Amino acid sequence: MKELIEQKITEIANVLLAVNLKKEFSNDLSLLSGELGALIFLKYYSIIYDQVNIIKTLEKRFDIYFDNLVSHVLQISYCNGISGILYGLNLLDKSMSLNIDYNDVEKHYKKYLFRMMKWGFNNCNYDYFHGSLGILLGQMDDVKFVKAAIRSLEQAAVIDGEKIKWYSFIDFKEKRGINISLSHGMSSLVIILCRIYEKNIESKSVQTLITGAVNYILSQRIDYNIYGCFFPIQSLESDTFLQKSRLAWCYGDLGIALALWEAGKVLQNSFWKSVSLNIMLESCTRRSIDDTLIKDAGICHGSSGLAMIFYYMYNETRNFIFMETCNYWISVTLKMASFKDGLAGYKTWNGNYKNDCSLLTGISGIGLMLLTVVSNNPICFEWNHFFLLLNKH
């Protein structure tokens, strides 16, 4: 399978080199949905395969990218705006010595980022993709940001005995409720709190928040034998309770299990880790389309996202079941390159199938996942941080 994977990686790289990314992304410069994600895949590809010509081409593309970056007014969010851009550039700079000078850009947005982070935490918008958590992730080295986030989370917390929850927007109509998912809900909050705990910033307060959040998440568990999943889509309090949750990075059991795993590690709670492992191992058996609701190959809600998670768990535990499951989802990912008019054969499902170059749902993310597994190069684990898989290799 290695040869097929490498062929697909090269095909994806050739597609991204051939298209006009500025036009393809309609001037979207963002990390997850825009041009930066594609440039990051090409950068990894050029280094892993020592593609000197591509490296020179990328230098020109990055020059154009930075010209656009300083001349555009950008959204604030992690998924679609400056928060994610700064985080992506920081990772490139640290892991690849890209010598990127983006200090002026960061200084320009710094005060606004701080205000918007506090506003979000205080107004039910802690959302990782589009709210305060994404801003915080990119500013974790700034103690002022971290302490302000802790204070805001304490003030917004709804405490019920040993359980803590936070209200957030759970649909596009700004309906408020409780969401325990990874992409938009409390699971991402738990993982980022774990990173704060490791930095030893107000550890007692952070431990209380993590413990209360995990207790609430565990209280949402449902009967797997009845529902075919361990947790509801959002929470038992939401209108989606009776719907089966998908197997994916964004929503469902796997993201919640990741949060339990990280919390169990940093707080040395063997029970939380055992619950996480049980969910992960049972999820290895979910493979049919009806059972998983997989319709495409993207990271967010597709097969390469599943491969990413199971590969992560293999590296965390060295349990070969996770590697075997990762390989299964890689084979599914390769088979999904079946569209004659797709990009490297791929299209993304969003109510209908469309071409997509992005990191979150398109071929840049698929390419990075394939590149990570086939190369097993430690540098490739860095991009997993974009999706809150924060192991240290």
Side-chain angles (χ1 to χ4, degrees), residues 24 37 41 49 52 55 68 92 94 111-112 145 192 197 217 242 244 246 268 275 279 290 292 333 360 372:
E24 192 73 27
F41 163 72
Y49 288 105
V52 177
I55 292 173
N68 290 331
L92 281 180
K94 287 181 177 179
K111 290 182 179 179
Y112 185 53
F145 273 77
I192 291 176
Y197 185 83
I217 289 172
L242 293 178
K244 183 177 182 177
R246 73 202 323 170
Q268 298 181 3
V275 172
I279 295 167
D290 290 340
T292 61
T333 298
L360 179 62
T372 300

Side-chain angles (χ1 to χ4, degrees), residues 117-318:
M117 182 194 74
K118 289 188 67 177
W119 184 92
F121 279 132
N122 294 330
N123 289 275
C124 295
N125 188 22
Y126 66 83
D127 192 298
Y128 172 55
F129 271 178
H130 305 298
S132 295
L133 285 178
I135 298 173
L136 176 60
L137 181 65
Q139 302 295 324
M140 290 283 276
D141 292 333
D142 191 321
V143 176
K144 178 184 176 182
F145 273 77
V146 175
K147 287 187 174 182
I150 295 169
R151 294 286 82 77
S152 294
L153 285 168
E154 288 178 325
Q155 292 167 9
V158 178
I159 302 173
D160 178 13
E162 296 183 344
K163 301 190 290 289
I164 299 177
K165 63 185 178 182
W166 289 264
Y167 282 92
S168 63
F169 299 121
I170 57 174
D171 62 22
F172 293 111
K173 297 179 182 179
E174 297 192 349
K175 179 180 178 181
R176 298 184 183 192
I178 307 298
N179 190 337
I180 59 173
S181 77
L182 184 61
S183 55
H184 303 291
M186 283 177 56
S187 290
S188 53
L189 175 56
V190 167
I191 292 175
I192 291 176
L193 284 171
C194 289
R195 298 291 78 80
I196 295 173
Y197 185 83
E198 290 180 321
K199 289 178 174 292
N200 199 30
I201 300 173
E202 301 194 21
S203 299
K204 186 175 181 179
S205 295
V206 174
Q207 181 174 353
T208 298
L209 294 175
I210 293 171
T211 302
V214 169
N215 286 340
Y216 178 81
I217 289 172
L218 289 174
S219 75
Q220 301 300 292
R221 189 164 175 173
I222 57 180
D223 191 330
Y224 184 87
N225 293 322
I226 296 175
Y227 296 100
C229 55
F230 289 96
F231 291 94
I233 296 175
Q234 292 175 340
S235 71
L236 298 178
E237 302 176 33
S238 75
D239 297 336
T240 63
F241 165 48
L242 293 178
Q243 298 178 37
K244 183 177 182 177
S245 64
R246 73 202 323 170
L247 198 67
W249 174 84
C250 55
Y251 275 87
D253 290 347
L254 291 182
I256 295 165
L258 284 170
L260 296 175
W261 180 255
E262 296 302 321
K265 282 197 303 182
V266 299
L267 296 186
Q268 298 181 3
N269 188 307
S270 59
F271 175 69
W272 295 348
K273 289 176 69 177
S274 68
V275 172
S276 173
L277 280 176
N278 181 53
I279 295 167
M280 287 287 184
L281 290 169
E282 190 64 42
S283 296
C284 289
T285 68
R286 292 178 63 181
R287 298 190 177 186
S288 71
I289 298 300
D290 290 340
D291 198 18
T292 61
L293 305 179
I294 294 292
K295 293 185 177 181
D296 65 21
I299 291 286
C300 183
H301 48 259
S303 58
S304 64
L306 300 184
M308 175 182 71
I309 291 172
F310 288 116
Y311 191 55
Y312 174 82
M313 289 305 296
Y314 169 71
N315 282 288
E316 288 283 285
T317 66
R318 291 298 163 178

